[in-house]
């Protein structure tokens, strides 16, 4: 039962992601051609509302359900991983039109071949885990 | 009953972009309220660890069971996608612009009968009951497609790049573009700019040629 609330959060996100066509290969292609505001509107409005929400938690105006002030982990200021890893991720995003959240939504929407996509993404993460000590971070 | 029908009709209509702010904001708010983070690619690491990847790399030696909540978010996202696709999406269209349709038809120009019509673009490139007349050129997300070189590159190759890149960069579109930038983290901004650089390189230099492979 303690997991039920997380399933509900995921449900809201997945439902919205499908309805806003965030799972659409064609929408992602359109975004990278800069031919519509749609995807940018989703990302920018998500960020603006996200900044407000994050600040409310950070400054303690809103506390977690345990009554604590939410702690945020600052990310390390080392650049190669964000640039190289980001470019690799971006290439995958444009190639399939899918990012790591959308692969679950698509799998649920009935495109069962995404089981293979998810397995391949796990393999990618596994290979990163094996090779990370040799990669520039 | 009439009221429920009206709600069903409203949810089934096309959602404007600003619903993104509401939907993403609500997701972020609830996860922070529960003391967690919004970042879906972390699940890939958890799934590897749960399958015993810790025997091969210390990167997977962590208390993966403490991440079970995030797997539940992913499970919920699957269920949300199922409900939206099954009951709330008449037509299953992606409402992309006319310029984009022209650009897509340029890619498929050499294959007769492959052009898409503005206003009748399926939500994803896969044949469904509603889009049975989808040109074969645009059949990408299916088991048939997986057994072609093109489909293998797009499904297996794309998955690998997403899995490798998101962990290397320490997050994905939800972890960096939303959570990280919302926390005003400079590394996340650098990561998102890099996502776009990678996406533009793929879109302009590789994707049209990959789509034209017909083996």
């Amino acid at each position: 039962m303690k997991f039920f609330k997380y399933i509900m959060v995921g449900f809201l996100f997945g439902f919205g992601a499908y309805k806003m066509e965030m799972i659409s290969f064609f929408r992602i292609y359109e975004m990278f051609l800069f031919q519509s505001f749609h995807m940018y509107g989703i990302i920018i409005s998500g960020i603006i509302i996200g900044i407000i929400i994050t600040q409310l938690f950070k400054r303690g105006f809103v506390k977690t359900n345990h009554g604590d002030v939410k702690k945020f982990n600052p990310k390390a200021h080392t650049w190669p991983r964000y640039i190289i890893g980001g470019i690799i991720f971006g290439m995958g995003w444009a190639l399939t039109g899918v990012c790591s959240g959308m692969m679950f939504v698509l799998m649920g929407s009935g495109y069962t071949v995404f089981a293979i996509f998810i397995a391949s993404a796990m393999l990618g993460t596994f290979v990163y885990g094996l090779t990370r000590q040799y990669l520039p971070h | 009953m009439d009221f429920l029908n009206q709600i069903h009709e409203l949810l089934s209509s096309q959602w404007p972009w600003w619903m993104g702010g509401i939907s993403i904001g609500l997701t972020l708010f609830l996860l922070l309220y529960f003391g967690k983070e919004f970042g879906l690619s972390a699940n890939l690491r958890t799934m590897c660890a749960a399958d015993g990847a810790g025997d091969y790399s210390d990167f997977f030696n962590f208390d993966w069971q403490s991440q079970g909540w995030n797997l539940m978010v992913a499970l919920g996202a699957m269920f949300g996608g199922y409900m939206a696709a099954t009951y709330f999406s008449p037509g299953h269209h992606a409402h992309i612009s006319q310029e984009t349709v022209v650009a897509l038809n340029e890619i498929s120009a050499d294959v007769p009968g492959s052009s898409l019509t503005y206003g009748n673009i399926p939500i994803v490139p896969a044949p469904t009951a509603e889009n049975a007349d989808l040109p074969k050129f645009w059949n990408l997300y299916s088991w048939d497609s997986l057994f072609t070189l093109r489909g293998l590159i797009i499904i297996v190759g794309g998955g690998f790049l997403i899995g490798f890149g998101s962990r290397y960069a320490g997050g994905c579109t939800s972890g960096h573009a939303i959570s990280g930038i919302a926390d005003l983290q400079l590394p996340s901004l650098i990561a998102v700019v890099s996502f776009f650089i990678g996406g533009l390189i793929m879109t302009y230099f590789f994707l049209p040629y990959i789509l034209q492979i017909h083996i």
Side-chain angles (χ1 to χ4, degrees):
Chain A
M1 237 7 232
K2 68 170 180 169
F3 280 145
F4 182 71
K5 57 181 191 252
Y6 297 113
I7 296 180
M8 285 315 294
V9 174
F11 181 89
L12 287 173
F13 178 69
F15 192 94
Y18 190 96
K19 283 303 300 179
M20 279 172 296
E21 304 171 4
M22 284 154 67
I23 50 125
S24 173
F25 170 90
F26 298 113
R27 277 291 191 194
I28 304 299
Y29 184 68
E30 178 188 56
M31 173 181 81
F32 283 123
L33 294 184
F34 302 100
Q35 286 173 337
S36 165
F37 179 69
H38 184 82
M39 287 303 301
Y40 294 99
I42 292 172
I43 297 170
I44 292 167
S45 64
I47 288 173
I48 291 171
I49 296 181
I51 289 174
I52 297 168
I53 289 170
T54 305
Q55 289 303 316
L56 288 175
F57 276 97
K58 252 192 156 166
R59 287 159 199 254
F61 293 119
V62 183
K63 295 197 169 57
T64 68
N65 60 344
H66 304 297
D68 310 324
V69 175
K70 171 83 182 111
K71 285 191 183 64
F72 290 85
N73 305 320
K75 295 188 193 303
H77 282 225
T78 58
W79 310 114
R81 70 174 303 181
Y82 300 113
I83 297 169
I84 306 169
I87 288 174
I88 295 173
F89 177 86
M91 291 182 78
W93 190 16
L95 173 59
T96 321
V98 176
C99 66
S100 24
M102 299 308 114
M103 65 188 184
F104 297 112
V105 182
L106 275 164
M107 175 79 196
S109 313
Y111 304 99
T112 51
V113 75
F114 273 86
I116 303 297
F117 184 90
I118 293 171
S120 184
M122 283 172 68
L123 180 69
T125 299
F126 181 62
V127 170
Y128 168 73
L130 292 184
T131 56
R132 66 194 295 259
Q133 66 216 64
Y134 311 108
L135 299 170
H137 282 74
Chain B
M1 237 10 241
D2 211 33
F3 176 68
L4 283 180
N5 280 334
Q6 279 171 3
I7 295 213
H8 181 259
E9 212 164 284
L10 187 69
L11 289 176
S12 300
S13 62
Q14 190 193 342
W15 287 21
W17 60 264
W18 49 262
M19 280 299 290
I22 295 173
S23 166
I24 293 168
L26 194 62
T27 308
L28 182 67
F29 177 85
L30 289 170
L31 287 175
L32 293 179
Y33 179 70
F34 296 143
K36 308 297 184 195
E37 279 83 34
F38 182 34
L40 282 157
S41 66
N43 279 317
L44 292 168
R45 186 183 174 201
T46 308
M47 285 151 71
C48 284
D51 289 338
D55 296 348
Y56 303 96
S57 164
D58 281 343
F59 182 63
F60 301 106
N61 269 326
F62 67 106
D63 179 17
W64 60 267
Q65 277 160 323
S66 70
Q67 297 295 309
W69 66 270
N70 208 351
L71 291 176
M72 292 303 121
V73 176
L75 185 70
M78 288 172 73
F79 190 50
Y82 169 77
M83 289 298 285
T86 313
Y87 300 108
F88 295 92
S89 298
H92 299 264
H93 287 136
H95 302 83
I96 56 171
S97 68
Q98 194 146 18
E99 295 100 297
T100 310
V101 178
V102 172
L104 289 166
N105 285 340
E106 271 169 27
I107 298 176
S108 69
D110 289 344
V111 184
S114 290
S115 56
L116 297 166
T117 325
Y118 173 67
N120 190 27
I121 308 292
I123 190 152
V124 295
T128 58
E130 295 79 12
N131 300 305
D133 57 344
L134 181 77
K136 203 162 166 280
F137 186 89
W138 292 109
N139 178 0
L140 304 177
Y141 293 0
S142 71
W143 291 95
D144 292 343
S145 155
L146 180 66
F147 297 106
T148 63
L149 177 64
R150 186 178 76 147
L152 200 69
I153 293 171
I154 288 176
I155 292 166
V156 177
F160 189 89
L161 292 173
I162 290 287
F164 187 89
S166 63
R167 252 338 78 226
Y168 193 175
C172 60
T173 3
S174 49
H176 276 310
I178 303 299
S179 303
I181 294 188
D183 190 22
L184 308 175
Q185 298 264 349
L186 183 60
S188 292
L189 182 65
I190 304 280
V192 175
V193 170
S194 305
F195 293 168
F196 272 85
I197 294 171
L200 292 172
I201 293 172
M202 177 56 72
T203 301
Y204 286 92
F205 299 117
F206 297 104
L207 186 61
Y209 307 102
I210 293 171
L211 286 170
Q212 283 165 355
I213 297 173
H214 42 126
I215 343 173

